[in-house]
Amino acid sequence: MRIVVLAGGIGGARFLRGLKAAAPEAEITVVGNTGDDIHLFGLKVCPDLDTVMYTLGGGVHEEQGWGRADETFAVKEELAAYGVGPEWFGLGDRDFATHIVRTQMIGAGYPLSAVTEALCARWQPGVRLLPMSDDRVETHVLVETDGERKAVHFQEYWVRLRAAVPAHAVVPVGAEAAKPAPGVLEAIAAADVIVFPPSNPVVSIGTILAVPGIREAIAEAGVPVVGLSPIVGDAPVRGMADKVLAAVGVESTAAAVAAHYGSGLLDGWLVDTVDAGAVAEVEEAGIRCRAVPLLMSDLAAATRMAREALTLAEEVRA
Ligand SMILES: O=c1nc2n(C[C@H](O)[C@H](O)[C@H](O)CO)c3cc(O)ccc3cc-2c(=O)[nH]1
């Protein structure tokens, strides 16, 4: 079975571990969000691609869900000693090597998709990881601080500001001119199932869908598209999805996120058991809905969730 998954960072990566366990024979293609990418110290950092690669490749810092395990920060400390910032983004020595290899290959003319394939040759994530686009897309957030409105890079909003200031708009800069990376549209067209994991619906999955052609390809794929709510009991399970949902005028509820994707895109939606009351509302929107446990507390839980998603996909297909 061929499965395509649109993935962002931590939630998407952890779900993918469950999906691999639930469908060990499946051919899984991950379309990764690159809107979180940031250029620091002359290097291109791809947080969501790296989180998928490190998590599935066994190198991720488990508690954080991003960055490498067993990290040291000598380079970061030396940069700070030179007064070279920013200091708020925690890049470790091991992680720096990934960004050096990536930036070196891009400098040599390789597209991000080829670079990602090369990095994955080492990590063997057990899925095909494609960036959503080889073109540069960087999400910026219109925030209000000290009474003035300004656009800041998503990472500054997320990491330095801790999403603690009102976000008035979320803009994937460059998305409108970006093309899907090689293989993305082909993978969607060849898929038997398409899955939206519990990633951030605005800055992760929303950014992938903002690349012209991707949303249309999914809507026309003619196969079940099922998603898992990242919102449980009106709050994000992890991260701060509610902050960016507000910025795009979407209520922080499991039903509102399903409606945000829309029945033109989504055929099935899994909500957590605490949101069982939302099932009828989602079904009224034309999206098949079931309430199952969605707290991805460990691999077994993620595996059960993945199994539920594939079961719902078969129900929808029938
Ligand atoms: O909260 C943080 N998240 C950090 N993240 C996570 C990152 O902001 C998020 O994973 C995504 O951008 C959102 O999914 C990093 C990810 C990387 O790949 C590399 C470095 C970092 C550093 C931080 C950090 O210092 N603090």
Side-chain angles (χ1 to χ4, degrees):
M1 176 184 5
R2 290 180 295 249
I3 308 173
V4 167
V5 182
L6 273 57
I10 301 161
R14 287 186 173 160
F15 172 79
L16 281 162
R17 267 200 299 218
L19 183 62
K20 280 175 65 181
E25 305 310 314
E27 241 181 84
I28 301 171
T29 300
V30 178
V31 179
N33 171 42
T34 59
D36 289 6
D37 292 3
I38 183 168
H39 287 75
L40 292 173
F41 315 112
L43 299 172
K44 182 180 175 68
V45 180
C46 300
D48 281 355
L49 296 180
D50 291 349
T51 285
V52 171
M53 184 173 74
Y54 289 157
T55 301
L56 300 185
V60 77
H61 183 297
E62 271 304 327
E63 296 69 50
Q64 281 176 179
W66 52 266
R68 284 290 311 281
D70 310 322
E71 261 299 8
T72 51
F73 293 90
V75 173
K76 184 171 185 313
E77 286 154 19
E78 289 302 305
L79 287 164
Y82 281 113
V84 173
E87 293 194 38
W88 45 265
F89 200 70
L91 284 174
D93 298 328
R94 295 178 187 279
D95 201 27
F96 263 112
T98 300
H99 313 315
I100 292 167
V101 170
R102 176 183 294 119
T103 308
Q104 180 174 304
M105 286 186 72
I106 287 175
Y110 292 93
L112 182 58
S113 44
V115 174
T116 304
E117 192 176 355
L119 295 171
C120 286
R122 170 191 172 186
W123 288 102
Q124 296 294 311
V127 301
R128 188 170 170 228
L129 176 56
L130 301 175
M132 67 188 196
S133 173
D134 282 338
D135 301 315
R136 183 167 172 171
V137 179
E138 290 195 8
T139 299
H140 282 63
V141 183
L142 183 63
V143 298
E144 190 160 328
T145 52
D146 315 323
E148 55 150 344
R149 281 197 181 191
K150 60 178 182 171
V152 295
H153 187 284
F154 169 75
Q155 293 298 347
E156 182 170 0
Y157 168 71
W158 199 252
V159 176
R160 191 175 72 77
L161 300 172
R162 307 299 312 152
V165 295
H168 294 281
V170 176
V171 184
V173 175
E176 67 290 339
K179 290 181 296 310
V184 167
L185 298 183
E186 293 80 354
I188 292 168
D192 298 306
V193 189
I194 299 169
V195 181
F196 292 7
S199 286
N200 189 306
V202 178
V203 293
S204 295
I205 295 176
T207 305
I208 298 168
L209 294 173
V211 176
I214 293 183
R215 174 187 289 271
E216 297 78 4
I218 292 171
E220 288 151 23
V223 295
V225 179
V226 296
L228 298 94
S229 177
I231 301 292
V232 168
D234 300 352
V237 175
R238 184 189 169 106
M240 299 163 271
D242 49 332
K243 305 287 181 23
V244 288
L245 279 165
V248 296
V250 177
E251 238 189 312
S252 183
T253 68
V257 175
H260 176 60
Y261 287 132
S263 58
L265 204 53
L266 215 47
D267 301 308
W269 186 244
L270 291 180
V271 301
D272 186 80
T273 44
V274 298
D275 296 308
V279 170
E281 181 183 346
V282 176
E283 295 237 316
E284 267 148 41
I287 300 167
R288 192 79 62 83
C289 186
R290 294 182 50 221
V292 299
L294 287 189
L295 286 181
M296 217 161 21
S297 43
D298 56 16
L299 178 57
T303 306
R304 281 192 298 274
M305 285 164 56
R307 226 173 252 131
E308 291 286 5
L310 295 177
T311 302
L312 180 55
E314 290 320 306
E315 267 181 35
V316 162
R317 194 192 310 273

